[in-house]
Amino acid sequence: MADINDIKTAFLQELASAGTAADLQQLKVKYLGKKGILTAKLKLLPTIPAEERPVYGKLMNELKMFIEGEIEGKESEIRDAERRSKIASEAIDITLPGKYTKPGKMHPISTVLKEIIDIFVSMGFDTEVGPEVELDYYNFEALNIPKDHPARDMQDTFYISDDVILRTHTSPVQVRTMERKKPPLRFIAPGKVYRCDADVSHTPMFHQVEGVVVDADISFSDLKGVLEIFVHLMFSKDTPVRFRPSFFPFTEPSAEVDIGCILCGGAGCRVCKGTGWLEVLGAGMVNPRVFEMVGYDPERYTGFAFGMGVERITMLKYSIDDIRMYYENDIRFLRQF
Amino acid sequence: MRVPLEWLKELVDFSISTDDLILKLTMVGLEVEGVERMEDDTVLEVNVTPNRPDCLSILGIAREVSALLNIPLKFPECEIREEGGPSLVDVEIADEDLCHRYAGRDIRGVTIGDSPEWLKKRIAKCGMRPINNVVDITNYVLLEMGHPLHAFDMDTLRGSRIRVARSRGGTITTLDGTERALPENSLLIWDGERPVAVAGVMGGAETEVKEATKSIFLESAYFLPSSIRRTSKALGLKTESAYRFERGTDIELLEKALDRAASLMAVHAGGKLSKKVDVYPRPFQPSRIKVRYERVNRILGASIPDDEMTDIVQRLGMKAEKGPKEFVATPPSFRGDIQKEIDLIEEIARFHGFDRIPVTVPKIPISKEAKDTRYHLMARVKESFRSAGFTEAINYSFMNPRMLDTLNIEENDSRRRTLILRNPINEEESCLRTTLAPSLIQNLLYNVSRGSRDVRLFEVSRIFIDEGALLPEEKHHLGAIYFREKTPSLWKEEAPDFYIVKGAVQSLLDDLRSGDYLFQPSSEPFLHPGKSGDIIVSGKKIGFLGTLHPYIIEKLSLKVSQQDILVVEMNLDALLASVSGGVKYTPIPRYPFIDRDIALVVDESLPATGVMEHLRAYPTELIEDISLFDFYKGKNIPEGKKSLAFTIRYRAEDRTLTDSEIEELHGKLTAYITAKTGGMVRGT
Ligand SMILES: [Zn+2]
């Protein structure tokens, strides 16, 4: 029986020094193969005395299973090691940059315009459009600004002919929409507008968003509510809002809407001219005369309208201090947003 | 309007602090835009809106302060001693539709000289230059009471008469020494023979008060605002006087202004005052306006008590007769802006305080309108170009008409149908854009001259084509420009610039699910004829892309390297019209496909799309897809030839195709395409 132990000892020694799958294969053949050591020993079984045979057979069997198990264990150990080293050799430098087309940027005016539109659309407003080259009638007369009225001085106009102009505000869209549709109405009209002054603080073209709400019982308090929500969504929830009387021929009562200066927090700075307030919107109740012009009954319907300059809001959002930057289209400016 | 506080306090004795006053005025609609603090006084710069000409004076501001603080107004006092008997000047209003009242008086024996210091100082604080005692006093009263006056040298008035009548042409030399053609129908002041002043705008030089003047005739009148505005605009002459007349002056107050000025002149220039002449053919008719208490609160969304409403109106100098449901207000002559109920609602809101009106949210049914799909599509167009590496530009809608010449645009091209501005800022911006390309080319020039070597810009804006109607056609266009100097890239060779830009266009068309599209050689006059294409969607040209013609680059004296400059322009309205609405699901194929390749050697001049079209036209239902996967010229390919390799994907809807079936079909297709293209299969 001592030979069984010798075989085991010899096997374990050889197993320990086997380092590759090939070594193991050899070992397998040497011990378990058709001409292997164990097979040879088993062939000698009939020569063992009959009374010892069962014990010897059992031990031999145990040895066979032991060797098989050891080889299998070692095999999977080697396989794992090989896989690990293969994976390790496949490593790349993940800090090298990825390949992609670097996306461009949206113009800051576009971005802010979209933000404004999205806020009002989320409040249930529709969007309306109108022509940029407009009739004097829609731009002025239907908005209660007759020819020879001093209110025309508020807006320097580009003329194509006596009756055709570049719209000076988005308000003509109010009239065109009211002519086409019946209340209830709640819409905004974003777009380009033109005024023929160009200096440090004016560009001959800029963007406005007009808003209108008309129904049977719309009041000035509703105007305050809607614009307050807008300011809070556009700037921040704790931005103070102030309404003060003003004049627009197509609204009455008319208001300028100021927000607490977002740059100095109301303490007073260069941008707010020391007042702590920034004018961001013009608004008011639609003048009954405008309703009459479009054929609405002013006794039945009331409404409010508001308008804002997108350039101004964009300036505040990004601390841009020169309005002319918007239209120079300098890549070094545009790529910042 | 500049308001010195020392002067204001003379008319209304308030005790609140300056900061408090500024806030109160601002919150009542008289926005204080600036504050000038001087050694002994503070001057407020008040922004007076066009509807409030009554506030264009110290008196007007004082009236608002008095109403605001509920303290009495002290009207500027004056003492009149009419020692000179009746006026020597006859006054006649010939055109009373334009002049509702004309008053005046003469002052004989005046001595023209300097005004007293206090008076000079006051008008200077308001931004007026002292001239002499008579002129300064008219200006002083203008500032104090808001009513413009005019003084004539009486001895220069021929025939001792004043006639107010329309112009009949001719010219006048005005006070500023300019000879001006008199616009037809403008209102003039005539003496016995000739026009001596442009009514309400500016006096004539010949009747001007000078150092030697001994007697003056002082005018205080009411002129129709629209008439003054027309004349002032026609003459291009803006004066303090016209500014007030065109906004509306107080027809009742003019008499008091006349007395105030005359009494000051008697004191500071000497002379005897005549009796007043006052021709008043159209007297002021006070209006009575009904205001419903309920309507006020309905418009404002407030609950202002009835008494507060009438109290506010009374403090503003109006009569208010109270009834149970409404009150009747009678506005004074200086409030021409108050004509309707809504005007009074505004006054009530203003004085009640906008800040005291509640904040509510409108109760309005949700919209039944379809969402504006165009807006969303435009946003997708922009997003598509942005992700393709282009940055958004926004240009003015103006264009230099000469750019059309630079770009060789032909005379009959629709881009020549420009709208021309009557009053452009400059020649370079004198017409409206009919194409976006010129602006983008300018953007390129601008950026390159500032050192940029990577200019990829796009713009989505309207263009304007004059089609002969009253208003032009406004179309949305997408324009893009591409210029990029090649820099060594880390990964792999990029496609040539043309194909990068074409890829951006294709990606947009695919993303929008536009109609079928293809690219055809373009004949745009400013593009390289061999490196440009028209974009054809659903059979119609909607735009172009291509390399700027070398000749144009030369003309623009663009100093760039050999690199191509690519321009794209598309009519988005036409493109978006081709976008199909919905998507319909098609079942996923149940049977497998088989891919087979064909590599063809064809003439270099044969476009790839031509070969593709032939393949697509092959009559079988078993070809599911054809794609071009290789393009090659050079070694192993004969001169003047190129190799194109396609993958053909075969699939049947109802069965698995067999190898022999495919071999046969692919063989036939190969024979067909070589015959059609006159090419040969590569590698056989
Ligand atoms: Zn500030």
Side-chain angles (χ1 to χ4, degrees):
Chain A
M1 303 259 176
D3 54 344
I4 288 180
N5 274 331
D6 291 345
I7 294 168
K8 191 171 180 179
T9 312
F11 167 75
L12 286 173
Q13 263 169 17
E14 281 184 79
L15 183 70
S17 61
T20 67
D23 291 350
L24 279 180
Q25 189 54 37
Q26 261 180 18
L27 214 56
K28 216 172 181 175
V29 172
K30 183 173 176 183
Y31 285 89
L32 304 172
K34 282 197 181 106
K35 287 175 185 161
I37 294 170
L38 286 201
T39 321
K41 281 280 176 203
L42 279 171
K43 277 184 187 154
L44 293 177
L45 204 60
T47 66
I48 304 276
E51 65 276 12
E52 286 176 25
R53 238 180 261 161
V55 178
Y56 190 81
K58 186 171 171 266
L59 286 172
M60 280 302 286
N61 213 31
E62 278 172 6
L63 179 62
K64 189 185 173 210
M65 281 171 60
F66 173 77
I67 289 174
E68 277 173 354
E70 285 298 301
I71 288 178
E72 225 167 87
K74 186 84 186 209
E75 250 172 6
S76 84
E77 216 172 88
I78 287 174
R79 252 197 329 268
D80 281 355
E82 278 176 351
R83 213 180 276 145
R84 272 197 303 276
S85 90
K86 183 167 185 286
I87 286 171
S89 74
E90 284 168 352
I92 56 165
D93 180 359
I94 58 124
T95 66
L96 287 176
K99 180 171 169 59
Y100 70 116
T101 303
K102 202 168 190 169
K105 299 290 177 80
M106 285 297 184
H107 196 286
I109 294 288
S110 252
T111 305
V112 171
L113 188 58
K114 184 177 181 303
E115 238 177 282
I116 296 169
I117 294 172
D118 287 350
I119 289 173
F120 284 106
V121 167
S122 79
M123 287 197 248
F125 282 65
D126 301 319
T127 51
E128 297 285 351
V129 289
E132 290 174 24
V133 179
E134 187 51 286
L135 295 175
D136 182 279
Y137 175 80
Y138 285 111
N139 194 79
F140 290 122
E141 281 183 55
L143 290 163
N144 196 33
I145 316 171
K147 285 212 156 91
D148 303 320
H149 194 279
R152 288 209 176 190
D153 284 351
M154 294 166 91
Q155 305 175 356
D156 288 321
T157 311
F158 280 114
Y159 281 88
I160 302 284
S161 69
D162 281 349
D163 301 318
V164 180
I165 56 152
L166 302 192
R167 67 176 177 194
T168 58
H169 48 185
T170 41
S171 307
V173 185
Q174 278 187 32
V175 183
R176 284 180 176 272
T177 305
M178 287 193 275
E179 277 184 353
R180 228 173 53 240
K181 297 177 176 175
K182 291 285 153 236
L185 291 179
R186 38 27 222 119
F187 64 86
I188 50 164
K192 288 177 181 150
V193 301
Y194 304 86
R195 294 193 195 165
C196 64
D197 46 7
D199 56 43
V200 190
S201 52
H202 297 90
T203 52
M205 180 187 89
F206 54 99
H207 294 74
Q208 278 191 340
V209 178
E210 186 89 1
V212 175
V213 174
V214 180
D215 202 5
D217 256 312
I218 300 299
S219 67
F220 193 88
S221 60
D222 294 332
L223 166 65
K224 285 183 74 176
V226 166
L227 292 185
E228 213 170 273
I229 292 170
F230 167 73
V231 167
H232 290 167
L233 293 175
M234 191 71 206
F235 296 97
S236 76
K237 229 177 76 190
D238 41 8
T239 306
V241 186
R242 172 175 98 165
F243 292 76
R244 63 185 157 80
S246 188
F247 168 73
F248 307 106
F250 40 96
T251 53
E252 192 163 14
S254 298
E256 294 280 7
V257 185
D258 298 336
I259 63 168
C261 180
I262 54 173
L263 297 155
C264 65
C269 68
R270 194 182 54 83
V271 176
C272 62
K273 291 183 201 147
T275 62
W277 293 96
L278 296 165
E279 196 178 303
V280 291
L281 284 139
M285 299 304 291
V286 178
N287 195 314
R289 270 168 261 203
V290 174
F291 281 151
E292 282 162 16
M293 295 286 257
V294 298
Y296 283 9
D297 177 2
E299 284 298 309
R300 185 162 164 215
Y301 295 114
T302 53
F304 63 79
F306 57 86
M308 67 191 95
V310 182
E311 276 72 2
R312 172 117 173 114
I313 293 174
T314 310
M315 275 179 111
L316 298 175
K317 277 235 131 169
Y318 298 114
S319 309
I320 296 167
D321 55 6
D322 184 353
I323 193 168
R324 292 169 301 184
M325 288 304 295
Y326 290 133
Y327 300 111
E328 278 170 359
N329 295 305
D330 191 316
I331 293 260
R332 295 164 298 178
F333 171 77
L334 296 175
R335 297 254 2 152
Q336 291 179 26
F337 301 95
Chain B
M1 171 80 203
R2 290 173 62 86
V3 182
L5 291 186
E6 156 268 329
W7 197 350
L8 182 66
K9 274 191 174 156
E10 196 173 280
L11 303 189
V12 56
D13 191 13
F14 60 90
S15 52
I16 57 171
S17 72
T18 303
D19 285 344
D20 212 2
L21 179 73
I22 289 170
L23 183 65
K24 282 203 152 69
L25 285 174
T26 298
M27 294 310 285
V28 84
L30 291 164
E31 186 196 358
V32 178
E33 286 182 316
V35 184
E36 197 180 320
R37 288 175 210 273
M38 300 171 175
E39 220 173 284
D40 54 347
D41 199 3
T42 298
V43 179
L44 306 186
E45 183 70 51
V46 180
N47 176 17
V48 178
T49 52
N51 59 324
R52 294 300 304 277
D54 62 297
C55 287
L56 291 170
S57 63
I58 309 295
L59 174 66
I61 303 287
R63 267 192 307 242
E64 289 278 308
V65 174
S66 144
L68 200 54
L69 304 177
N70 217 357
I71 50 179
L73 179 75
K74 291 188 283 181
F75 199 84
E77 57 197 87
C78 67
E79 202 179 310
I80 286 288
R81 301 227 309 270
E82 295 170 333
E83 296 168 320
S87 172
L88 299 179
V89 179
D90 271 342
V91 172
E92 181 206 346
I93 301 177
D95 290 316
E96 62 172 60
D97 55 330
L98 303 187
C99 175
H100 298 180
R101 188 178 187 183
Y102 194 103
R105 66 166 92 233
D106 41 69
I107 309 167
R108 295 192 289 276
V110 294
T111 310
I112 304 300
D114 270 1
S115 307
E117 282 310 311
W118 64 266
L119 193 150
K120 280 198 216 170
K121 227 173 145 185
R122 275 190 176 173
I123 64 172
K125 275 193 263 186
C126 293
M128 280 183 157
R129 194 169 50 89
I131 296 167
N132 62 46
N133 46 10
V134 169
V135 174
D136 292 352
I137 287 167
T138 58
N139 283 335
Y140 181 86
V141 175
L142 170 93
L143 293 168
E144 185 182 54
M145 301 177 74
H147 198 88
L149 304 167
H150 183 65
F152 296 96
D153 181 334
M154 199 171 83
D155 299 327
T156 63
L157 291 177
R158 298 179 191 164
S160 286
R161 56 179 304 206
I162 286 287
R163 194 165 159 271
V164 187
R166 282 181 164 84
S167 151
R168 296 193 303 256
T171 62
I172 187 171
T173 302
T174 42
L175 281 175
D176 54 0
T178 312
E179 185 175 348
R180 297 170 187 276
L182 290 164
E184 214 43 45
N185 278 322
S186 55
L187 190 68
L188 304 178
I189 311 299
W190 305 69
D191 62 10
E193 296 171 14
R194 58 190 172 153
V196 291
V198 183
V201 180
M202 195 179 265
E206 289 181 31
T207 53
E208 183 184 1
V209 173
K210 301 192 185 71
E211 256 170 69
T213 299
K214 292 278 170 286
S215 310
I216 59 171
F217 179 76
L218 192 58
E219 161 202 291
S220 184
Y222 178 89
F223 303 116
L224 190 73
S226 58
S227 158
I228 299 300
R229 182 169 169 83
R230 268 197 300 276
T231 305
S232 153
K233 283 209 94 172
L235 290 172
L237 195 53
K238 286 185 177 178
T239 59
E240 290 280 345
S241 162
Y243 189 80
R244 285 169 176 79
F245 277 122
E246 70 178 24
R247 280 163 174 72
T249 49
D250 183 353
I251 198 167
E252 291 285 285
L253 181 85
L254 68 84
E255 179 182 2
K256 297 190 182 84
L258 177 66
D259 289 348
R260 172 79 168 147
S263 70
L264 284 169
M265 284 179 194
V267 174
H268 300 290
K272 290 195 169 97
L273 307 184
S274 78
K275 289 206 158 52
K276 215 168 354 198
V277 205
D278 188 358
V279 185
Y280 196 178
R282 297 203 178 173
F284 171 66
Q285 300 290 344
S287 51
R288 292 167 50 80
I289 305 163
K290 280 185 197 160
V291 182
R292 294 161 289 175
Y293 303 115
E294 183 267 335
R295 174 85 174 167
V296 176
N297 282 323
R298 211 183 115 202
I299 295 269
L300 300 180
S303 39
I304 303 170
D306 303 357
D307 285 346
E308 189 186 335
M309 294 185 200
T310 50
D311 177 54
I312 286 170
V313 163
Q314 282 163 342
R315 268 156 61 190
L316 285 165
M318 296 177 227
K319 251 188 1 203
E321 302 154 45
K322 285 193 206 178
K325 290 206 163 134
E326 61 189 32
F327 69 92
V328 177
T330 307
S333 57
F334 56 84
R335 291 303 302 269
D337 61 312
I338 298 180
Q339 295 167 356
K340 298 253 167 92
E341 185 182 40
I342 193 70
D343 302 322
L344 284 148
I345 295 175
E346 179 171 57
E347 291 304 288
I348 293 164
R350 212 160 62 83
F351 272 77
H352 175 71
F354 279 11
D355 52 339
R356 290 171 60 207
I357 293 173
V359 176
T360 58
V361 174
K363 292 171 197 65
I364 183 162
I366 57 168
S367 173
K368 291 175 195 150
E369 300 257 326
K371 282 282 157 273
D372 181 5
T373 50
R374 174 176 298 258
Y375 168 71
H376 293 284
L377 287 172
M378 294 285 181
R380 275 170 62 188
V381 169
K382 288 181 170 192
E383 193 49 41
S384 178
F385 258 72
R386 189 186 74 82
S387 36
F390 290 80
T391 288
E392 189 188 16
I394 302 180
N395 285 288
Y396 294 144
S397 302
F398 313 118
M399 174 173 79
N400 185 343
R402 288 222 299 278
M403 270 304 271
L404 296 173
D405 300 332
T406 307
L407 295 182
N408 293 339
I409 306 282
E410 283 163 29
E411 284 310 316
N412 58 0
D413 192 302
S414 68
R415 284 170 288 201
R416 285 278 180 184
R417 297 207 282 275
T418 53
L419 256 76
I420 297 168
L421 295 175
R422 264 194 196 171
N423 52 338
I425 303 240
N426 54 49
E427 194 52 36
E428 286 72 50
E429 300 177 328
S430 62
C431 71
L432 291 180
R433 287 191 289 184
T434 53
T435 158
L436 303 183
S439 313
L440 289 161
I441 291 171
Q442 299 289 3
N443 295 154
L444 175 77
L445 292 172
Y446 180 97
N447 280 293
V448 166
S449 73
R450 278 159 185 78
S452 286
R453 290 295 174 265
D454 177 355
V455 183
R456 286 171 287 167
L457 292 170
F458 78 94
E459 178 173 6
V460 172
S461 281
R462 296 189 199 182
I463 55 109
F464 306 85
I465 309 270
D466 184 0
E467 297 288 16
L470 194 51
L471 293 182
E473 287 277 326
E474 296 189 10
K475 292 182 186 133
H476 292 85
H477 271 207
L478 164 78
I481 196 148
Y482 178 103
F483 166 74
R484 192 145 70 115
E485 251 175 33
K486 282 273 184 290
T487 47
S489 101
L490 179 64
W491 295 118
K492 214 186 145 195
E493 274 289 297
E494 275 188 300
D497 290 335
F498 180 89
Y499 299 103
I500 292 178
V501 175
K502 185 178 174 185
V505 171
Q506 282 185 282
S507 160
L508 167 65
L509 298 177
D510 286 349
D511 183 46
L512 288 177
R513 297 171 183 282
S514 74
D516 289 340
Y517 63 82
L518 57 104
F519 297 81
Q520 281 176 353
S522 174
S523 53
E524 289 293 348
F526 47 88
L527 296 182
H528 188 305
K531 286 183 175 178
S532 59
D534 285 344
I535 306 165
I536 314 289
V537 174
S538 305
K540 277 196 297 200
K541 173 175 174 178
I542 61 140
F544 60 81
L545 85 160
T547 302
L548 211 52
H549 200 292
Y551 177 57
I552 304 286
I553 296 182
E554 219 169 276
K555 274 210 273 187
L556 292 166
S557 33
L558 190 59
K559 305 254 183 318
V560 291
S561 60
Q562 297 296 312
Q563 212 61 47
D564 283 350
I565 293 163
L566 282 113
V567 186
V568 182
E569 186 153 359
M570 275 189 263
N571 176 345
L572 288 181
D573 293 321
L575 171 62
L576 298 185
S578 82
V579 171
S580 51
V583 173
K584 206 177 157 215
Y585 157 80
T586 44
I588 291 160
R590 293 173 58 196
Y591 299 94
F593 64 83
I594 297 175
D595 282 348
R596 286 283 186 279
D597 297 345
I598 303 181
L600 277 178
V601 177
V602 293
D603 278 351
E604 211 182 321
S605 61
L606 190 65
T609 45
V611 181
M612 190 73 113
E613 271 167 42
H614 284 308
L615 288 170
R616 288 223 176 89
Y618 187 76
T620 175
E621 306 209 319
L622 299 179
I623 295 178
E624 185 182 80
D625 191 36
I626 302 166
S627 58
L628 177 66
F629 73 89
D630 189 45
F631 160 72
Y632 178 73
K633 276 196 297 196
K635 216 179 142 201
N636 298 330
I637 301 291
E639 187 77 2
K641 303 274 180 187
K642 65 182 170 189
S643 159
L644 297 170
F646 298 89
T647 297
I648 318 290
R649 175 161 292 186
Y650 295 98
R651 190 194 317 254
E653 263 178 46
D654 54 352
R655 65 189 193 294
T656 302
L657 292 169
T658 64
D659 275 348
S660 59
E661 210 174 348
I662 292 304
E663 280 323 313
E664 194 193 331
L665 184 54
H666 193 66
K668 282 183 182 166
L669 183 73
T670 308
Y672 158 86
I673 195 65
T674 46
K676 277 281 179 191
T677 58
M680 50 189 268
V681 173
R682 188 180 170 192
T684 55

